[in-house]
């Protein structure tokens, strides 16, 4: 009875399977189909901004500086991170080096990341982990001050961790309290990294959004001494802004005291204000990013690729069956693979306009591979069915 129904409605069932597989892929690849609202709001009971799932604030201009003549640099951030969170708290951006330096959260750890060229000429993202900076439901005042001799990390005006970078022609050694921390060899936070445009609560590229509260941000063109760090912490946490002097060389100061509007003013008077876009925006949206630049040895990279392969297997299976059984195509497999590649290319092109999605050639390759596996699965199943059918006919005869 069931076999009779399937044979009578084969055209309809295969058509529905094709529509379902194609619709599922389009939804998975393009949802939410538009740029979401920028999830940034002013705090109601104090100075500061709250960042939601997709929130970003970016500078209206670039900080002055020259990579050929590096100068000391210091960053102060007064923030409260969401529990068990991840993402870019502060990122610096330049067109020739989109990921030059960033401060990130990884669960309870603070991560200093820098994009550096390796010996092969390819860029590597390297990082230093400072453990247990973000305790649950507790604000943290983080100061990172750097000079040519190294980098010091302070939390709440104290220096529980001291990071020293000692560089040579071949490598750089990083020490925390006299021991080597969890880090990639060769990391070096140079002062020139604090130049260009910068982003608060996000990365220049997709999937870097961070959740939490930012109550204050300051950037100095100087290496702050320990007494200065402590003075800034005491005054900022008590009166809402640091006690700064001319010797601090303040480049940017944001106490976030506007409480309304789309502009956060730079109280240092240099003119580099912050802008809160009405819609979530990614500053450096890549279009069909090269697969060799996307490559990573992380588990997340390989799991994502496996999902992309598996997601296109139903499309390859259903459309190959439709072309072979309904359209009677002699090249059903080839037509299906071309269709899968075209669908994937369409999705990747459209993802280039969606700030929450990545547009890259790696997905194009894995999606096409998944389509081919679906075609192979159909031909294998059909060969088995025909073999079983022939065996059954021999038994009957």
């Amino acid at each position: 009875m069931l076999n009779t129904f399937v044979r009578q409605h084969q055209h309809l069932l295969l058509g529905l399977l094709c529509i379902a597989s194609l619709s599922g892929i389009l939804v998975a690849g393009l949802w939410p189909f538009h740029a979401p609202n920028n999830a940034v709001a002013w705090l109601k009971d104090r100075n500061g901004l709250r960042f939601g799932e997709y929130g970003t604030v970016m500078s209206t201009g670039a900080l002055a500086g020259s990579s050929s003549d590096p100068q000391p640099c210091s960053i102060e951030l007064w923030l409260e991170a969401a529990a068990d969170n991840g993402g870019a708290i502060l990122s610096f951006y330049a067109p020739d080096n989109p990921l030059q330096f960033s401060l990130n959260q990884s669960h309870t750890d603070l991560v200093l990341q820098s994009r550096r060229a390796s010996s092969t000429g390819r860029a590597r993202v390297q990082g230093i982990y400072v453990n247990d900076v973000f305790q649950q439901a507790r604000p943290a005042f983080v100061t990172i001050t750097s000079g040519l001799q190294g980098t010091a990390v302070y939390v709440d005006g104290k220096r529980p961790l001291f990071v020293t970078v000692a560089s040579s022609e071949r490598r750089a050694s990083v020490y925390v309290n006299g021991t080597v921390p969890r880090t990639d060899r060769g990391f070096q936070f140079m002062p020139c990294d604090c130049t260009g445009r910068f982003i608060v609560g996000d990365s220049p590229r997709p999937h870097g959004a961070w959740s939490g509260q930012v109550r204050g941000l300051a950037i100095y063109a100087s290496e702050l001494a320990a007494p200065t760090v402590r003075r800034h912490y005491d005054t900022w946490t008590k009166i809402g802004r640091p006690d700064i002097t001319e010797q601090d060389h303040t480049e940017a100061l944001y106490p976030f005291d506007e409480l309304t509007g789309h502009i956060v003013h730079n109280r240092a008077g240099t003119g580099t204000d912050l802008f809160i876009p009405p819609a979530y925006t990614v500053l450096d949206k890549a279009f069909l990013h090269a697969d060799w630049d996307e490559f990573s040895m992380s588990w997340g990279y390989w799991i994502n690729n496996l999902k992309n392969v598996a997601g296109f297997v139903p499309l390859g299976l259903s459309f190959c069956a439709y072309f072979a059984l309904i359209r009677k195509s002699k090249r059903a497999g080839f037509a299906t693979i071309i269709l899968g590649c075209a669908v994937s290319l369409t999705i990747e092109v459209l993802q280039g306009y969606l700030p929450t999605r990545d547009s890259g050639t790696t997905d194009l390759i894995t999606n096409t591979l998944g389509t081919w596996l679906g075609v192979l699965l159909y031909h294998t199943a059909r060969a088995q069915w025909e073999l079983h059918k022939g065996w059954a006919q021999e038994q009957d005869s």
Side-chain angles (χ1 to χ4, degrees):
M1 184 72 178
L2 180 60
N3 291 337
T4 302
F5 176 83
V6 170
R7 285 194 299 269
Q8 291 177 347
H9 299 84
Q10 185 182 69
H11 186 285
L12 176 62
L13 291 175
L14 285 177
L16 290 175
L17 285 175
C18 291
I19 293 173
S21 62
L22 181 59
S23 299
I25 287 173
L26 293 176
V27 169
L30 299 174
W31 182 263
F33 303 112
H34 63 85
N37 293 331
N38 193 16
V40 176
W42 292 97
L43 299 178
K44 296 180 179 180
D45 56 344
R46 61 175 64 92
N47 296 343
L49 290 173
R50 184 187 305 276
F51 290 78
E53 182 179 5
Y54 291 113
T56 184
V57 175
M58 56 188 65
S59 65
T60 57
L63 292 178
S66 172
S67 59
S68 61
D69 185 21
Q71 298 295 322
C73 176
S74 299
I75 301 170
E76 290 177 337
L77 263 170
W78 188 16
L79 71 161
E80 183 176 334
D84 197 26
N85 190 26
I89 305 169
L90 178 68
S91 305
F92 289 85
Y93 168 82
D96 58 339
N97 189 8
L99 301 175
Q100 57 181 12
F101 176 70
S102 63
L103 301 177
N104 305 269
Q105 179 186 357
S106 177
H107 303 290
T108 61
D109 298 343
L110 174 69
V111 186
L112 284 66
Q113 286 188 341
S114 181
R115 185 176 186 264
R116 296 289 177 188
S118 65
S119 58
T120 60
R122 294 181 57 186
R124 294 182 59 203
V125 177
Q126 303 168 312
I128 295 175
Y129 287 73
V130 185
N131 298 328
D132 299 326
V133 172
F134 306 110
Q135 304 298 326
Q136 188 172 4
R138 175 180 173 272
F141 192 95
V142 177
T143 304
I144 298 150
T145 180
S146 175
L148 296 178
Q149 301 303 317
T151 301
V153 179
Y154 299 77
V155 178
D156 294 338
K158 305 174 184 177
R159 189 166 57 183
L161 296 176
F162 183 80
V163 180
T164 300
V165 180
S167 61
S168 64
E169 293 183 358
R170 294 189 176 183
R171 58 168 293 177
S173 301
V174 185
Y175 301 89
V176 176
N177 287 343
T179 61
V180 180
R182 187 157 51 107
T183 179
D184 285 334
R185 189 172 68 179
F187 180 90
Q188 188 175 14
F189 169 39
M190 292 297 294
C192 60
D193 287 326
C194 297
T195 60
R197 295 187 67 181
F198 55 96
I199 306 147
V200 183
D202 201 6
S203 166
R205 299 239 174 115
H207 308 301
W210 170 84
S211 298
Q213 300 177 15
V214 176
R215 303 181 187 178
L217 167 64
I219 301 173
Y220 307 92
S222 64
E223 184 176 5
L224 300 180
T228 304
V229 172
R230 183 67 192 186
R231 186 182 76 248
H232 286 188
Y233 165 74
D234 289 336
T235 54
W236 206 333
T237 54
K238 290 177 181 178
I239 65 175
R241 59 188 304 151
D243 178 19
I244 58 178
T245 65
E246 292 185 1
Q247 288 73 27
D248 296 335
H249 300 288
T250 309
E251 291 286 332
L253 175 61
Y254 307 99
F256 298 97
D257 54 1
E258 288 82 0
L259 304 181
T260 186
H262 293 280
I263 299 295
V264 181
H265 296 93
N266 184 358
R267 302 305 184 186
T270 62
T272 310
D273 295 331
L274 298 178
F275 174 64
I276 307 174
Y280 178 67
T281 304
V282 174
L283 188 59
D284 188 65
K285 190 71 172 71
F287 182 77
L288 289 178
H289 208 237
D291 61 311
W292 52 84
D293 288 333
E294 295 179 308
F295 179 79
S296 171
M297 290 301 295
S298 65
W299 279 109
Y301 173 82
W302 295 107
I303 290 174
N304 184 63
N305 284 338
L306 288 175
K307 289 179 180 178
N308 287 331
V309 171
F312 269 69
V313 170
L315 182 141
L317 177 62
S318 58
F319 273 92
C320 188
Y322 179 81
F323 289 144
L325 300 177
I326 306 303
R327 294 298 182 182
K328 306 298 183 182
S329 173
K330 296 181 179 180
R331 308 187 70 179
F334 179 75
T336 302
I337 294 173
I338 294 299
L339 174 66
C341 183
V343 170
S344 178
L345 179 61
T346 300
I347 291 174
E348 296 306 313
V349 170
L350 294 176
Q351 284 180 342
Y353 300 95
L354 298 174
T356 59
R357 308 309 298 259
D358 285 318
S359 174
T361 55
T362 302
D363 289 355
L364 184 61
I365 296 171
T366 54
N367 294 160
T368 305
L369 176 61
T371 305
W372 175 78
L373 290 176
V375 170
L376 184 64
L377 182 61
Y378 166 76
H379 285 301
T380 302
R382 184 168 183 177
Q384 291 291 332
W385 179 79
E386 291 179 350
L387 182 64
H388 177 76
K389 183 180 177 181
W391 180 81
Q393 289 176 349
E394 290 179 1
Q395 292 293 109
D396 292 340
S397 62

